[in-house]
Structures are given as C-alpha cells and as structure tokens.
C-alpha cells in the first residue's frame, strides 16, 4: 500500500512537473509583488494600516480576540471555500486563468502582510510575522500549489478532450483522481486552521509583550 501510494505520488509529480514549476514561480512572483506594493503605499495609507494593526495587537495583548473555536471555524471555512472554488474552476475550460489569478493573489497577500510588518516594525515585525503568518503558511502554501496544479492539470485534460477529440481518454476516472487529491490535500486545512486558532494567538501575545 505504501509502495503504491509512493508510486502514485511520484507519477503525479512527474506528469505535472512543468505545471508545478510554473505555479511555484507564479506564487513567488506574487510574494515579491506584494512586498513591492508595501513600498508604493503613501505615508497616510501606511499610517492608517499601522494604527489598525496597533489596535489589533492591543486586543491580542488583552486577550480580546474571538474564542479559539470561532477562529478555527472561520479559518477552516475560508480556506475550504478557496479550495472548493479552485476545484470547481478546474472542472471548467475557462477556469484556467482564474486559477492562476487566485494563486498569484495568495502570494501577494503573504508578501504584502510580511513586507508591511517588517517595513513598519523592523525585527519585531519579522518575529510577529514568523509566529502569526509563517507557521500555517508552511502548510497552506504547498497545499495551495498542489491544489492549483491539480486544477490546472485537470483543466488542460478537459481542453485536450474537447478540442483534440481524444475519445480514448476516459474523463471520469481522471475526475475521481482529481477530486480525491483535492480532498486529501484539503485535510491539511484542519492542521493549518488549528494552528492559526489555538497556537498563533498565544505566540503573538508572547511576542507583543516582549516588544
């Protein structure tokens, strides 16, 4: 069973190596773009965002955030909707560009958030981003890249089926493999959401009180 699973993963990676390279590079470009956007903000915009962050950090320090189970539910629902949207887009021939945009935007959000914290708060901002953003993203980023790659791959198969008349390629088994992969990767969302809800607030409070 283990050998079979390893073989399936190896085959999947080999078949989609080019797409994985492309989606990873696209995501990294998004991160760089997000960090660049921070420098293009006006002083007023930076000040307003910083004041909002200070308010949020005050709530964290005083323990006034929503309870952990509510944060977990919100985070899981948010990420699950994102995955669900990419899965649906993968079933549509016209969904390909939207999948690419979603991956790029995810990178922009990560790059902007980390870039803004470091830009405004220096090393303190780096430590804050390290405990509040990085840990769950070590799980989420590979998960988004895998889901994005799987969606693009299935989308391209649909295109080939439609326009190249490859009648010999049965689409239903491919659809089942695609959906199963999304579900398996989606299980990682539980771990990421749990960290975001139960661990990150504690670590953030510790960093804020030592700043």
């Amino acid at each position: 069973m283990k050998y079979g699973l390893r073989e399936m993963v190896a085959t999947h990676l080999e078949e989609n190596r080019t797409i994985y390279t492309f989606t990873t590079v696209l995501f990294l470009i998004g991160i760089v773009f997000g960090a660049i956007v921070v420098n293009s903000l006006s002083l007023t915009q930076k000040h307003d965002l910083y004041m909002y962050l200070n308010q949020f950090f005050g709530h964290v320090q005083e323990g006034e955030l929503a309870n952990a189970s509510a944060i977990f539910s919100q985070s899981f629902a948010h990420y699950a909707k994102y995955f669900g949207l990419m899965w649906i887009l993968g079933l549509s021939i016209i969904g390909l560009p939207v999948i690419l945009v979603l991956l790029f935007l995810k990178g922009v959000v990560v790059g902007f958030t980390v870039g803004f914290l470091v830009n405004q708060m220096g090393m303190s901002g780096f430590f804050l981003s390290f405990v509040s953003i990085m840990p769950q993203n070590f799980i989420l980023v590979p998960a988004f890249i895998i889901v994005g790659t799987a969606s693009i791959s299935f989308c391209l198969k649909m295109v080939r089926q439609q326009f190249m008349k490859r009648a010999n390629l049965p689409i239903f088994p491919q659809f089942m493999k695609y959906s199963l992969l999304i579900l398996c990767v989606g299980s990682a969302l539980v771990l990421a959401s749990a960290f975001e809800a139960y661990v990150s607030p504690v670590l953030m409070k510790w960093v804020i009180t030592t700043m």
Side-chain angles (χ1 to χ4, degrees), residues 96-190:
L96 180 59
V98 186
I99 295 166
L100 297 175
V101 169
L102 287 175
L103 279 170
F104 178 76
L105 287 177
K106 179 65 181 168
V108 170
V109 169
V110 173
F112 179 85
T113 310
V114 175
F116 184 77
L117 284 169
V118 173
N119 182 273
Q120 293 295 299
M121 302 173 70
M123 283 304 293
S124 297
F126 172 77
F127 286 124
L128 266 173
S129 64
F130 189 78
V131 299
S132 63
I133 298 161
M134 298 295 194
Q136 58 266 34
N137 274 295
F138 283 132
I139 301 167
L140 289 170
V141 169
F144 274 109
I145 288 172
I146 292 168
V147 169
T149 299
S151 301
I152 291 166
S153 176
F154 188 77
C155 199
L156 291 173
K157 283 171 186 170
M158 295 275 285
V159 171
R160 285 196 292 267
Q161 181 81 353
Q162 186 71 26
F163 296 105
M164 297 183 184
K165 305 299 180 189
R166 292 180 62 180
N168 294 330
L169 181 68
I171 207 70
F172 185 71
Q174 300 292 328
F175 167 75
M176 291 303 293
K177 277 185 187 177
Y178 167 54
S179 300
L180 186 61
L181 177 62
I182 302 293
L183 280 174
C184 289
V185 177
S187 62
L189 298 181
V190 176

Side-chain angles (χ1 to χ4, degrees), residues 2-210:
K2 281 183 182 177
Y3 177 74
L5 182 63
R6 197 182 303 127
E7 197 175 49
M8 281 172 63
V9 171
T11 304
H12 169 77
L13 290 172
E14 183 61 33
E15 284 178 356
N16 299 289
R17 184 171 50 187
T18 306
I19 303 173
Y20 269 113
T21 303
F22 180 75
T23 52
T24 303
V25 170
L26 181 69
F27 190 86
L28 290 173
I29 291 170
I31 291 175
V32 172
F33 185 79
I36 290 169
V37 168
V38 173
N39 293 322
S40 68
L41 293 175
S42 68
L43 286 174
T44 307
Q45 289 170 322
K46 284 183 181 179
H47 179 263
D48 290 344
L49 276 171
Y50 186 63
M51 292 305 291
Y52 172 77
L53 269 179
N54 268 341
Q55 260 187 332
F56 174 73
F57 292 149
H59 291 319
V60 171
Q61 196 167 1
E62 291 163 23
E64 293 176 4
L65 290 177
N67 66 63
S69 58
I71 295 172
F72 174 82
S73 300
Q74 288 169 6
S75 295
F76 184 78
H78 170 72
Y79 298 134
K81 284 175 188 172
Y82 214 96
F83 270 31
L85 178 59
M86 291 179 86
W87 174 73
I88 291 167
L89 289 167
L91 302 176
S92 165
I93 292 171
I94 59 170
L96 180 59
V98 186
I99 295 166
L100 297 175
V101 169
L102 287 175
L103 279 170
F104 178 76
L105 287 177
K106 179 65 181 168
V108 170
V109 169
V110 173
F112 179 85
T113 310
V114 175
F116 184 77
L117 284 169
V118 173
N119 182 273
Q120 293 295 299
M121 302 173 70
M123 283 304 293
S124 297
F126 172 77
F127 286 124
L128 266 173
S129 64
F130 189 78
V131 299
S132 63
I133 298 161
M134 298 295 194
Q136 58 266 34
N137 274 295
F138 283 132
I139 301 167
L140 289 170
V141 169
F144 274 109
I145 288 172
I146 292 168
V147 169
T149 299
S151 301
I152 291 166
S153 176
F154 188 77
C155 199
L156 291 173
K157 283 171 186 170
M158 295 275 285
V159 171
R160 285 196 292 267
Q161 181 81 353
Q162 186 71 26
F163 296 105
M164 297 183 184
K165 305 299 180 189
R166 292 180 62 180
N168 294 330
L169 181 68
I171 207 70
F172 185 71
Q174 300 292 328
F175 167 75
M176 291 303 293
K177 277 185 187 177
Y178 167 54
S179 300
L180 186 61
L181 177 62
I182 302 293
L183 280 174
C184 289
V185 177
S187 62
L189 298 181
V190 176
L191 187 58
S193 301
F195 195 98
E196 196 169 321
Y198 296 99
V199 183
S200 284
V202 177
L203 293 175
M204 283 175 68
K205 188 174 181 180
W206 177 72
V207 171
I208 291 165
T209 52
T210 55

